[in-house]
Amino acid sequence: MDLDAAVRAADALAAARRVSALTGAGVSAESGVPTFRGPGGLWEGRRPEELASPVAFAADPELVWRFYDWRRTRLAGARPNAAHRALARLEQLVPSFELVTQNVDGLHAEAGSRRVVELHGNIWRVRCPRGCVDEIDRTAPLPPPLPPRCPRCRGPLRPGVVWFGEALPPGAFEAARRAAESAEVFLVVGTSGVVEPAASLARLAAGRGALVVEINPDVTALTDVAAISLRAGAGEALSAIVDRVEEARR
Ligand code: APR
């Protein structure tokens, strides 16, 4: 890891009053959770629209549910990793910290992050497409038959995640935009930066004069807006950076 770049990122974070972060699947990769794109990714050999879209759900709700239940089963054993824990520590170290995540696994909250905007929903929640019931938490694989039925209208319940072509949860993008607009330092961690409107947050932050710091082993679509780009894993880089911020704020 480029230690000089990590030191510059840590020193900027230590001096900042308002910090925001945008995270993606790469933050959970070290918890054993598959990413979407790249080798072994969930979309490898699949078209996401075939499994993560309203059209797919209308065509075959059971297939879509089996996919999400398989993902939930894989997630059931996942625990927060050093990256999640470092971001939760950072929230305690800076005066104002906002975490915007594209992840639906709930691991940021489990690691102790409190101010989390889940842009793409949460895989542990289910809801009725007809709005009969509010979101209900289903943290265990659902009993057969799939899909589970709405207790009121008996129609198929759906995962509480945002699918391709759908609107984000009410208020989520507004909160995320405020976080990007107000940030002095904007962290971009573990995302390929190809899905909108999440990716636009980094450009918005940069346009408002924030120092954008990217942490990713690979170059991404957002590397061009990063003033500091660390080619490293999130756990290693964030742990080292937050250790230095903690030292500086003592
Ligand atoms: N540390 C940091 N980054 C990592 C690590 C790691 N240990 N391992 C992988 N990465 C990076 C990859 O290099 C890649 O750039 O994480 C990124 C994951 O990219 P994607 O798989 O595209 O995931 P993400 O950017 O979160 O996707 C955005 O797309 O399918 C939709 O709704 C889904 O929220 C998801 C959205």
Side-chain angles (χ1 to χ4, degrees):
M1 172 171 72
D2 179 341
L3 288 179
D4 172 58
V7 166
R8 283 187 289 123
D11 292 351
L13 287 165
R17 290 195 49 71
R18 292 181 307 282
V19 175
S20 298
L22 171 68
T23 65
V27 164
S28 296
E30 294 164 40
S31 297
V33 179
T35 60
F36 293 95
R37 298 165 184 86
L42 280 176
W43 300 146
E44 191 176 42
R46 287 187 173 118
R47 286 183 56 250
E49 295 74 13
E50 288 167 359
L51 288 165
S53 73
V55 170
F57 184 68
D60 191 341
E62 186 178 344
L63 169 70
V64 172
W65 256 109
R66 281 207 310 273
F67 170 63
Y68 279 91
D69 238 31
W70 169 76
R71 284 184 61 188
R72 287 149 52 108
T73 306
R74 291 223 32 194
L75 275 171
R79 298 277 69 79
N81 65 57
H84 297 107
R85 290 192 297 271
L87 287 168
R89 281 167 58 207
L90 191 58
E91 179 178 337
Q92 303 304 313
L93 289 168
V94 299
S96 167
F97 184 80
E98 301 290 339
L99 175 55
V100 178
T101 189
Q102 300 172 89
N103 300 341
V104 297
D105 54 33
L107 289 176
H108 283 303
E110 190 175 329
S113 289
R114 290 174 307 188
R115 297 181 62 79
V116 181
V117 176
E118 291 182 318
L119 274 187
H120 295 165
N122 186 302
I123 201 168
W124 299 111
R125 286 201 292 270
V126 297
R127 60 185 172 83
C128 173
R130 288 156 298 286
C132 297
V133 291
D134 292 332
E135 292 199 343
I136 46 181
D137 279 322
R138 294 287 186 106
T139 53
L142 292 162
L146 291 177
R149 294 283 159 184
C150 170
R152 184 167 302 170
C153 71
R154 307 305 305 158
L157 292 174
R158 57 160 287 175
V161 300
V162 178
W163 282 329
F164 287 94
E166 289 192 315
L168 299 183
F173 189 68
E174 291 70 17
R177 185 174 50 219
R178 284 194 300 274
E181 287 171 342
S182 62
E184 295 162 54
V185 179
F186 192 83
L187 298 172
V188 179
V189 191
T191 182
S192 58
V194 298
V195 171
E196 296 296 357
S200 68
L201 295 168
R203 296 189 178 87
L204 175 61
R208 290 293 181 102
L211 178 85
V212 177
V213 177
E214 178 183 49
I215 297 172
N216 195 313
D218 297 338
V219 172
T220 76
L222 294 176
T223 300
D224 63 305
V225 295
I228 299 172
S229 204
L230 278 164
R231 296 274 82 75
E236 174 201 14
L238 283 172
S239 299
I241 286 169
V242 176
D243 283 350
R244 186 174 172 94
V245 174
E246 196 161 55
E247 199 58 40
R249 285 193 177 261
R250 269 213 178 90

